[in-house]
Amino acid sequence: MMRFNSLKTPLVQGINLTKIFRYGLIWGEPVEAVKNVNINLLRGASLSLTGESGSGKTTLGKILLGIIRPTSGKVLFNGIDLTNPKRVPKYIRRMMSYIPQHPEEAFDPRWRLYDNIAEPLRIHKLIGSKEEEKEIIFKLAEDVSLDTSLLNRRPFEVSGGEIQRAVIASALATNPLFMVCDEPTSMLDISTQADILRLLKNIRDKLNISLLFISHDIEIASFMGFKIAVMLKGRIVEMADVDKLINEPLHPYTQGLLGIVKVEYVSSYAKNCRGCPYYDRCPVKMLPCREKEPKLKNVGGDHYVACFRY
Amino acid sequence: MSHVSDTSKEVILSIRDLKVKFYTEEGEVTVISDVNLDLFKGETVALIGESGSGKSILGHTIIRLLPKNANVSGHIIYKGIDLLKIDSSLLRNIRGREIAWIPQMVGSSLNPTVKIGVQIGEVLIDHYNYRNQRAWSSAIDLLKLFEVEPAEEVAKGYPHQLSGGMKQRVLIASAIAARPNLLIADEPTKGLDTIKKTLIVNIFKKIKDLKPDLSILLITHDLKFARELADRVIVMYCGKVIEINDKNSFFELPLHPYSKLLLKSLPSKGLYPIPGKPANVANPPSGCRFHPRCPYASDICEKSSPPLIKLDLNRCVACWLYKR
Amino acid sequence: MDVKALSFLGIKGKIGLIIILFVVFIGITAPVISPYDPTSLFEPFEPPSSTHLLGTDDVGHDVLTILIYGARVSILVGFATATISTFIGLLTALIAGCYEGLDPIISRILDFFLVIPRIPFIVIISAFLTPNIFIVILVLSFFGWAKTARVIKPLVKQVYSREYVKRLKCIGAGNWYIILRHILPATFPLAVAQFVLEGGHAILAEASIGFFGLEDPSTLSWGMEINHALQKSIIFLTNIWTWVLGPPILMLTITLLSTTFISIDLETRINPRLKVRSW
């Protein structure tokens, strides 16, 4: 077991992350999915990423997990470089888990829930006998309040909420330190959503897991995180503690997401812009916004915003 | 029989004693039981319910898109015609022209090999014998109305060139191209982010401005969306209609205990989950189907199913608490 | 579930399976059930009678005996070719689908193999060596695997891009673990459908080779029988063709039809079963 640094140093650190996708074979237009993102996550802390779809939230989450290789920049997990997914030591993988958006996509449809939940344990060979495995799985199912009679069913035979519980159980099987939840409830019913979110929150507090929670709904994001980062076109445009961001949002885009200012939907905007990423929609744009991109800067009390007005 | 009937408004669609059964490998499952509803001309009704409540199936039943293993009984009367009894040629005249349907799966609902403009205009050629030229220009007008710009370019393009939000708007455009009297939208906001939802709300408002006497049935589980658009709210739970209410009174003072708890589970109301598990239509609980999860449940709830009780002109609820 | 998919054959598939099993049965038990030795000769062109149930052909072979021994050849060619080409094709599809970097190269190789017509190629080969049955099998598999790979590759890619595969990678599962435990089982039903289809194609190809008279003359196959019959134009002047030409063509048609039935039935069943149904 590796030793952990003190609580003050971040568990997960993303330094200057940039990811450029190219669609098409040779002449593909490059698209900046993530651009110059610096992100820190302390042990046991939780951060929510929010922003509209296509803002690069999911890509950033996957880079931090070391599933996608960033074009430039570095990801450090407790000091170990995750930048090249192929070189990540296997024992590191045990300490992180991923909960995808579509619960029905998260499991192999041919496997019973039981085997799907047990899979991380089997991959890492953490259990000795079948009995021990069964005991652990039943305990996990109980932790996420999943009916144990459902364990013998296959994913398409149970409801979305039930699979999502099983996915969480599977994610907890290896006692991870870092968990990325990619919109885990956007496909669920409202009452089930409340249930799952509360479950995730309880688990986070009980097991002291660092949680990166991705959601396009800023209300849900604020429920789950200590801090919120608002993303737009691959950049973080505002980051602050939940209360601060909800009560005094500074960036016009955040104000738009919160419904204070009307945001208009632009279906086809320039993918890679020179100036501020919000320029073409901003109600309070100024002259320099078009030419220069504002940097993310601290405006006091750990409140970061990328806008020329501050 | 208790259902909403208001003589001042014209009824466009009325559903009577509707029952839908599915024959599956495990046996017969009644997914919708005893539904009685009226839709009025020019109103927007939100049909709310969780997955498995039968709300989508109700929509599919109205437009008769159910799979073969479904057995439907009852009446769905549209302009004096029972939609469940007519033959397929008459049904074709009603579909698209009178009743339009916006499907749930945005990605797979457009033909990838046909130009966008043709997909919007074909319903006009089919139902109104438009010339190709005229259908094409109406398609472009619709695209312009929904701000799918540049409209001429988009109309010449194919679905894969569009973003998800544009596809959604194209689907809505093709549904209302033939100027139907009733529009049924199945989960138009599922999985969309806040900004795209606002866009869809605006589009529905525009449609309403375009044709004020259009009735819209929104099948949704998004309460925020329903609040923006609906005039009335119908709540379904486990295959039954349990509440019919005005929008304002529903969001301020919901009648059924389920509705009360459902509103509390919204993010803005503190995300309090409803205790217990959703009832399964394949094996529904006895009596009131909500009683195992209901905090106000009493003996009678367990024994017999409450009828839909009419409280006043616009409010109905199926709960024993209101039977005094 | 994969085994279930097989036992879940519809009426079409069941009919096909019964016919195939019947042909396999007569092929295996040929020495026991055939009325005569395949080499024994009788009067040529004898009409069907109690001694020769299907009559005799131009050289005097008992048609029924040839038919029964021909099933052996067809089944052997079909089975062996299908096994080899499905194995190679599946392996190629898995590698191309799961290793993105290799996909463009493998796709070009597949394109190359797909455009080569196999029957003319065998004609060229037979100019140099007498193709005995094993060479036929090798040549047919050599050109058959590319089609299997082409059909299975998109499915592999689709499954490989599913969220659960990403989740597994994040957990720390290796690529080959994912391929063997998750992707191979997912492609299994389609591979079986391809196997059956490829078997049918091989049987037809082998019959065509025999029909052109390019096979080893001592081979007793349906194609050769048709070839022999057609060389004597006299058979069309009388009703001889009904027992010399009819039975092998009928057998060939039935066998091909049954493989097609099975594979169509399997394919229609694979896709909906993988989908999650939601209202």
Side-chain angles (χ1 to χ4, degrees):
Chain A
M1 205 67 192
M2 59 199 280
R3 271 191 313 167
F4 289 100
N5 303 330
S6 71
L7 287 175
K8 282 279 153 65
T9 52
L11 176 76
V12 185
Q13 223 176 340
I15 304 161
N16 262 328
L17 293 171
T18 298
K19 176 73 193 176
I20 297 170
F21 284 116
R22 264 171 211 280
Y23 295 106
L25 262 179
I26 305 161
W27 293 283
E29 194 187 331
V31 178
E32 290 164 344
V34 174
K35 198 186 179 194
N36 289 335
V37 169
N38 284 296
I39 204 165
N40 284 334
L41 200 56
L42 297 175
R43 178 96 209 267
S46 85
L47 175 75
S48 294
L49 285 181
T50 187
E52 61 195 302
S53 42
S55 62
K57 310 181 296 273
T58 304
T59 313
L60 181 59
K62 285 181 180 165
I63 290 174
L64 290 177
L65 278 170
I67 314 181
I68 295 181
R69 189 179 184 165
T71 312
S72 68
K74 242 183 179 179
V75 187
L76 298 178
F77 182 85
N78 203 33
I80 296 163
D81 192 2
L82 299 187
T83 316
N84 187 349
K86 281 179 190 149
R87 300 249 168 82
V88 180
K90 205 174 174 186
Y91 71 94
I92 292 284
R93 289 275 174 230
R94 208 164 71 197
M95 295 168 197
M96 46 178 70
S97 57
Y98 171 52
I99 295 175
Q101 178 178 13
H102 298 270
E104 65 269 27
E105 284 261 308
F107 276 160
D108 190 329
R110 280 162 295 275
W111 288 28
R112 295 177 307 149
L113 289 186
Y114 180 90
D115 295 316
N116 271 311
I117 297 175
E119 203 172 8
L121 294 169
R122 293 178 188 166
I123 289 171
H124 289 283
K125 303 196 174 62
L126 292 178
I127 19 102
S129 62
K130 283 255 174 257
E131 288 74 43
E132 200 186 331
E133 182 184 274
K134 196 171 176 185
E135 203 177 293
I136 294 173
I137 305 275
F138 274 67
K139 170 88 179 32
L140 282 169
E142 205 178 290
D143 285 350
V144 296
S145 41
L146 177 72
D147 201 341
T148 45
S149 63
L150 298 175
L151 288 174
N152 269 326
R153 303 219 191 147
R154 286 171 217 284
F156 53 85
E157 292 165 334
V158 299
S159 72
E162 283 156 353
I163 308 178
Q164 202 59 289
R165 279 170 202 282
V167 175
I168 296 171
S170 175
L172 294 175
T174 51
N175 291 321
L177 299 170
F178 175 47
M179 200 145 123
V180 174
C181 302
D182 187 1
E183 312 236 15
T185 58
S186 71
M187 291 291 154
L188 300 178
D189 288 320
I190 317 157
S191 65
T192 325
Q193 162 177 295
D195 226 8
I196 297 283
L197 291 177
R198 288 197 172 258
L199 173 72
L200 277 171
K201 208 172 178 177
N202 283 339
I203 285 168
R204 179 197 70 195
D205 294 342
K206 210 167 81 186
L207 304 174
N208 203 22
I209 293 173
S210 306
L211 188 73
L212 184 75
F213 190 89
I214 299 170
S215 173
H216 59 67
D217 188 332
I218 200 163
E219 278 175 344
I220 292 172
S222 63
F223 178 78
M224 289 304 293
F226 300 163
K227 267 185 167 187
I228 302 186
V230 180
M231 284 191 81
L232 175 66
K233 288 195 203 173
R235 298 135 171 107
I236 290 182
V237 293
E238 188 167 5
M239 180 156 69
D241 290 344
V242 166
D243 293 340
K244 220 173 231 169
L245 193 110
I246 297 295
N247 297 327
E248 322 159 18
L250 296 179
H251 200 282
Y253 179 59
T254 317
Q255 292 169 351
L257 286 178
L258 282 165
I260 301 168
V261 186
K262 214 179 142 223
V263 187
E264 53 182 304
Y265 176 83
V266 182
S267 53
S268 58
Y269 42 78
K271 281 187 182 111
N272 303 315
C273 50
R274 199 149 37 123
C276 175
Y278 197 51
Y279 180 78
D280 38 9
R281 287 191 276 172
C282 187
V284 289
K285 56 191 161 205
M286 302 181 297
L287 252 170
C289 301
R290 187 170 172 181
E291 295 303 322
K292 253 174 70 187
E293 195 185 324
K295 291 248 156 29
L296 194 66
K297 56 178 176 248
N298 198 338
V299 291
D302 261 358
H303 194 146
Y304 294 86
V305 65
C307 184
F308 281 124
R309 295 194 304 150
Y310 304 99
Chain B
M1 200 86 283
S2 47
H3 52 260
V4 181
S5 55
D6 185 345
T7 43
S8 68
K9 283 185 271 184
E10 194 186 332
V11 176
I12 185 161
L13 184 89
S14 59
I15 299 174
R16 291 287 171 273
D17 306 324
L18 185 73
K19 203 169 195 172
V20 179
K21 285 187 225 160
F22 276 105
Y23 299 110
T24 64
E25 284 170 35
E26 284 92 41
E28 199 180 279
V29 179
T30 308
V31 285
I32 290 182
S33 31
D34 310 322
V35 167
N36 287 285
L37 284 178
D38 279 324
L39 293 189
F40 301 113
K41 203 169 189 173
E43 72 167 353
T44 305
V45 176
L47 187 59
I48 287 172
E50 296 183 33
S51 48
S53 62
K55 60 182 193 308
S56 277
I57 294 183
L58 184 59
H60 281 86
T61 315
I62 295 171
I63 196 108
R64 283 199 29 200
L65 285 174
L66 288 178
K68 272 185 203 149
N69 63 340
N71 176 319
V72 185
S73 64
H75 309 277
I76 298 179
I77 293 152
Y78 174 83
K79 287 190 176 168
I81 311 163
D82 192 339
L83 293 181
L84 297 176
K85 302 224 160 53
I86 56 176
D87 60 4
S88 53
S89 63
L90 194 54
L91 184 68
R92 258 192 46 212
N93 282 336
I94 286 180
R95 276 186 192 159
R97 183 171 181 162
E98 301 283 343
I99 303 178
W101 167 259
I102 302 173
Q104 185 178 346
M105 303 292 174
V106 179
S108 56
S109 299
L110 289 169
N111 185 339
T113 58
V114 176
K115 282 181 185 162
I116 299 287
V118 176
Q119 297 200 46
I120 297 172
E122 63 190 352
V123 61
L124 293 169
I125 297 170
D126 197 28
H127 284 307
Y128 294 102
N129 299 322
Y130 271 30
R131 294 274 173 76
N132 289 350
Q133 194 58 43
R134 201 171 151 208
W136 183 264
S137 59
S138 331
I140 287 176
D141 289 347
L142 275 171
L143 287 175
K144 276 187 182 148
L145 181 76
F146 292 157
E147 293 168 23
V148 187
E149 296 287 357
E152 279 89 0
E153 302 282 306
V154 171
K156 279 181 206 155
Y158 293 90
H160 70 95
Q161 294 163 322
L162 303 184
S163 67
M166 289 165 101
K167 272 188 206 161
Q168 178 76 278
R169 279 177 282 171
V170 167
L171 267 183
I172 297 175
S174 72
I176 67 149
R179 297 183 292 282
N181 292 318
L182 173 62
L183 182 64
I184 304 173
D186 193 2
E187 304 260 17
T189 58
K190 194 167 192 178
L192 294 184
D193 64 32
T194 328
I195 292 174
K196 289 214 185 86
K197 269 181 200 165
T198 324
L199 176 81
I200 300 292
V201 168
N202 289 338
I203 284 180
F204 274 101
K205 283 184 178 156
K206 261 184 197 162
I207 297 174
K208 206 72 195 206
D209 291 341
L210 198 69
K211 192 171 192 286
D213 63 344
L214 171 73
S215 312
I216 303 177
L217 180 64
L218 297 171
I219 299 169
T220 183
H221 72 253
D222 186 340
L223 291 178
K224 241 183 183 171
F225 181 65
R227 186 171 201 166
E228 294 269 351
L229 283 172
D231 302 319
R232 275 197 305 150
V233 172
I234 297 169
V235 187
M236 281 187 82
Y237 183 79
C238 195
K240 286 197 165 190
V241 171
I242 57 166
E243 179 172 344
I244 301 175
N245 207 335
D246 272 343
K247 183 211 11 194
N248 289 331
S249 106
F250 176 80
F251 283 101
E252 276 150 33
L253 203 76
L255 300 170
H256 200 280
Y258 171 71
S259 316
K260 287 177 186 164
L261 292 172
L262 190 68
L263 286 175
K264 273 194 179 167
S265 68
L266 283 175
S268 53
K269 300 268 170 64
L271 282 161
Y272 296 103
I274 302 177
K277 274 170 59 176
N280 186 353
V281 274
N283 186 16
S286 64
C288 171
R289 292 181 172 185
F290 189 59
H291 87 262
R293 305 169 79 186
C294 183
Y296 312 105
S298 56
D299 289 349
I300 186 164
C301 303
E302 206 173 319
K303 278 174 206 135
S304 65
S305 175
L308 201 60
I309 303 159
K310 192 172 174 186
L311 295 182
D312 54 38
L313 212 54
N314 288 325
R315 301 192 301 157
C316 292
V317 63
C319 179
W320 288 118
L321 289 176
Y322 294 85
K323 192 83 177 177
R324 295 254 158 73
Chain C
M1 174 153 180
D2 306 306
V3 184
K4 232 191 212 167
L6 288 179
S7 67
F8 211 74
L9 285 172
I11 186 73
K12 245 188 196 172
K14 276 178 189 149
I15 292 172
L17 196 65
I18 288 168
I19 297 173
I20 277 289
L21 287 177
F22 173 69
V23 177
V24 170
F25 173 78
I26 62 170
I28 290 170
T29 56
V32 184
I33 59 167
S34 71
Y36 302 102
D37 189 76
T39 50
S40 50
L41 294 173
F42 307 93
E43 278 294 294
F45 292 140
E46 235 178 80
S49 62
S50 56
T51 45
H52 300 288
L53 280 176
L54 290 174
T56 59
D57 66 5
D58 55 341
V59 239
H61 285 136
D62 180 58
V63 174
L64 184 61
T65 309
I66 299 286
L67 219 55
I68 288 171
Y69 274 89
R72 242 180 181 193
V73 175
S74 289
I75 290 301
L76 177 67
V77 171
F79 188 77
T81 311
T83 309
I84 299 172
S85 56
T86 308
F87 180 76
I88 302 174
L90 190 57
L91 196 68
T92 317
L94 288 174
I95 292 169
C98 299
Y99 291 90
E100 267 173 58
L102 294 173
D103 184 30
I105 306 164
I106 294 177
S107 293
R108 295 296 84 74
I109 297 173
L110 290 184
D111 289 344
F112 174 74
F113 273 99
L114 284 169
V115 294
I116 298 177
R118 44 184 181 177
I119 304 284
F121 200 83
I122 288 169
V123 174
I124 297 168
I125 285 192
S126 61
F128 297 102
L129 44 143
T130 319
N132 67 12
I133 194 149
F134 296 104
I135 290 180
V136 169
I137 289 172
L138 280 182
V139 172
L140 288 180
S141 334
F142 189 67
F143 295 109
W145 67 273
K147 214 168 92 212
T148 312
R150 177 46 64 84
V151 173
I152 298 177
K153 200 183 77 179
L155 181 66
V156 174
K157 274 198 152 166
Q158 188 210 328
V159 178
Y160 194 72
S161 63
R162 296 285 282 272
E163 286 283 320
Y164 69 82
V165 173
K166 297 210 176 79
R167 217 189 95 252
L168 286 169
K169 277 191 195 164
C170 177
I171 290 167
N175 235 352
W176 278 103
Y177 172 89
I178 294 173
I179 290 173
L180 292 178
R181 302 299 301 274
H182 293 276
I183 294 174
L184 189 61
T187 54
F188 187 74
L190 187 60
V192 172
Q194 272 301 305
F195 177 88
V196 178
L197 203 62
E198 186 54 38
H201 283 308
I203 289 171
L204 184 64
E206 187 272 335
S208 329
I209 295 165
F211 170 74
F212 290 132
L214 298 171
E215 258 178 350
D216 183 359
S218 65
T219 313
L220 299 165
S221 72
W222 297 337
M224 287 295 273
E225 184 69 3
I226 299 171
N227 173 41
H228 285 314
L230 286 179
Q231 279 175 5
K232 303 277 188 295
S233 48
I234 184 175
I235 62 163
F236 292 110
L237 302 175
T238 58
N239 63 352
I240 294 174
W241 63 272
T242 47
W243 73 82
V244 179
L245 204 54
I249 290 181
L250 199 67
M251 281 305 282
L252 209 52
T253 313
I254 289 178
T255 315
L256 288 177
L257 211 58
S258 65
T259 57
T260 314
F261 272 180
I262 296 174
S263 63
I264 286 176
D265 199 73
L266 276 173
E267 265 178 272
T268 49
R269 250 145 238 283
I270 293 160
N271 298 327
R273 281 187 76 85
L274 291 178
K275 275 185 196 153
V276 178
R277 202 184 162 129
S278 59
W279 283 100

